[in-house]
Amino acid sequence: MESPVIWLCDLTYTQQSISNDTIPSAIGGIGANILCDYPDASVQIFKYPEDLSHCLDLVVEDGCIPDIISFSNYVWNANLSYAYCSVIKDVFPQILTVSGGANFPFALAEQKDFLAIKPFLDLYLQKEGEVAWSKLGEVWKTSADLGIFLC
């Protein structure tokens, strides 16, 4: 299996001021967990939309497309995250787009409705991100070993 390139995004608004200038330990823990499970993986963490935009521009130039781009989903950054997710999926449909976080309905019917209006989102990880990412890594490895493309 080729080592995955994974971008983890916990974006914040930066127009008039930075609404949240810290990176929660959750996204750092997820990145560390991925690297424990897959030491050859490339993991990059993004907080500021401008940095993500710059790296996406570089992807267009050099063709080194990440395998997975994941976005945190909190009430304060959901619209920003999903705007990026939508554009990324439009330009790079082969990238697996993932989201996770507390801003997700509890009821199954509401979860289905939530995902139905977000066709650009391939996967939503519930509950503890570290465990879910470990399972995602197992599926990723198996599918790559079998020559299956996840998206």
Side-chain angles (χ1 to χ4, degrees):
M1 175 186 97
E2 196 172 310
S3 297
V5 176
I6 301 168
W7 292 3
L8 303 174
C9 306
D10 180 53
L11 301 178
T12 188
Y13 289 96
T14 60
Q15 293 90 353
Q16 296 173 347
S17 67
I18 297 173
S19 62
N20 185 355
D21 64 353
T22 62
I23 296 177
S25 61
I27 198 169
I30 289 168
N33 205 49
I34 291 168
L35 291 172
C36 282
D37 289 342
Y38 303 95
D40 293 333
S42 171
V43 176
Q44 191 164 349
I45 293 176
F46 295 91
K47 182 67 180 176
Y48 303 113
E50 298 82 3
D51 294 340
L52 178 59
S53 292
H54 175 72
C55 285
L56 287 168
D57 288 342
L58 293 176
V59 165
V60 171
E61 290 175 18
D62 66 21
C64 294
I65 300 171
D67 299 298
I68 303 171
I69 299 181
S70 181
F71 294 88
S72 62
N73 180 36
Y74 298 104
V75 69
W76 58 84
N77 72 352
N79 291 338
L80 178 61
S81 293
Y82 289 124
Y84 266 91
C85 191
S86 177
V87 169
I88 287 167
K89 201 62 172 175
D90 189 47
V91 176
F92 305 104
Q94 70 274 35
I95 293 175
L96 182 68
T97 53
V98 178
S99 189
N103 192 32
F104 192 66
F106 288 110
L108 182 59
E110 292 175 10
Q111 291 172 351
K112 289 178 180 180
D113 292 343
F114 177 94
L115 295 171
I117 62 171
K118 294 172 178 52
F120 46 80
L121 184 59
D122 293 317
L123 187 61
Y124 198 95
L125 302 178
Q126 290 183 273
K127 311 252 180 196
E128 298 301 319
E130 293 82 357
V131 173
W133 270 97
S134 181
K135 298 293 182 191
L136 175 58
E138 291 172 21
V139 171
W140 182 266
K141 181 180 181 340
T142 301
S143 65
D145 288 345
L146 295 173
I148 301 169
F149 188 59
L150 273 179
C151 295

